Amino acid sequence: MDTAQLLVTAGGAGLIALVVWFFFFAPHRVAAAVAGTGGVQQVDITVKGGYSPDVIEVERGRLVQLNFYRAEDNSCSEELLLPDFQIRRELPPFQTTAIELLPRQPGRYEFTCGMHMLRGSLVVK
Ligand SMILES: [Cu+2]
């Protein structure tokens, strides 16, 4: 291998390491829901290359309202899936989309974009 090949190989290995880190080891931003008027647990989530916060803690048995603000028009994030609650919703860019659900069972429920690339979880306590 000459120097250029070595550099390309090293660069590729570096990119792979970055992708692995991003998907599996990136730090999570955890938020607990705040119960507002009427006892609805509200959480504001920003959608931009990911979900922030991406771990949302709620109490079971009380309505939850997730306010997804999509701060981009990248097609990756245009759909939100929350399969355990049979939810599939379009998130229009630069708007807030409210998604309501009633968590009955404690557990950890994943939500993702339409391609399962962006991920977050709803933790029901
Ligand atoms: Cu996506």
Side-chain angles (χ1 to χ4, degrees):
M1 276 206 269
D2 63 21
T3 313
Q5 283 174 318
L6 270 176
L7 280 176
V8 168
T9 307
L15 275 178
I16 290 167
L18 190 70
V19 167
V20 168
W21 174 83
F22 181 79
F23 278 104
F24 298 105
F25 301 108
H28 290 288
R29 297 159 299 267
V30 184
V34 179
T37 45
V40 178
Q41 308 179 81
Q42 302 229 27
V43 188
D44 295 330
I45 301 157
T46 302
V47 182
K48 192 176 186 188
Y51 302 109
S52 183
D54 63 352
V55 178
I56 291 139
E57 296 178 347
V58 299
E59 279 175 47
R60 71 172 162 150
R62 297 172 78 182
L63 267 180
V64 171
Q65 183 177 322
L66 304 174
N67 301 314
F68 285 90
Y69 176 70
R70 185 165 162 231
E72 64 181 1
D73 56 7
N74 185 337
S75 66
C76 182
S77 58
E78 70 191 354
E79 216 179 17
L80 183 94
L81 307 181
L82 218 172
D84 295 299
F85 293 87
Q86 283 86 46
I87 289 171
R88 171 185 285 260
R89 289 282 285 278
E90 293 281 315
L91 303 180
F94 309 107
Q95 286 183 40
T96 299
T97 305
I99 293 180
E100 290 197 350
L101 54 94
L102 179 62
R104 297 172 194 275
Q105 300 286 336
R108 193 180 184 97
Y109 306 99
E110 279 229 310
F111 56 88
T112 68
C113 70
M115 313 131 182
H116 305 278
M117 289 173 71
L118 312 180
R119 291 164 181 278
S121 23
L122 182 71
V123 178
V124 180
K125 302 198 157 183

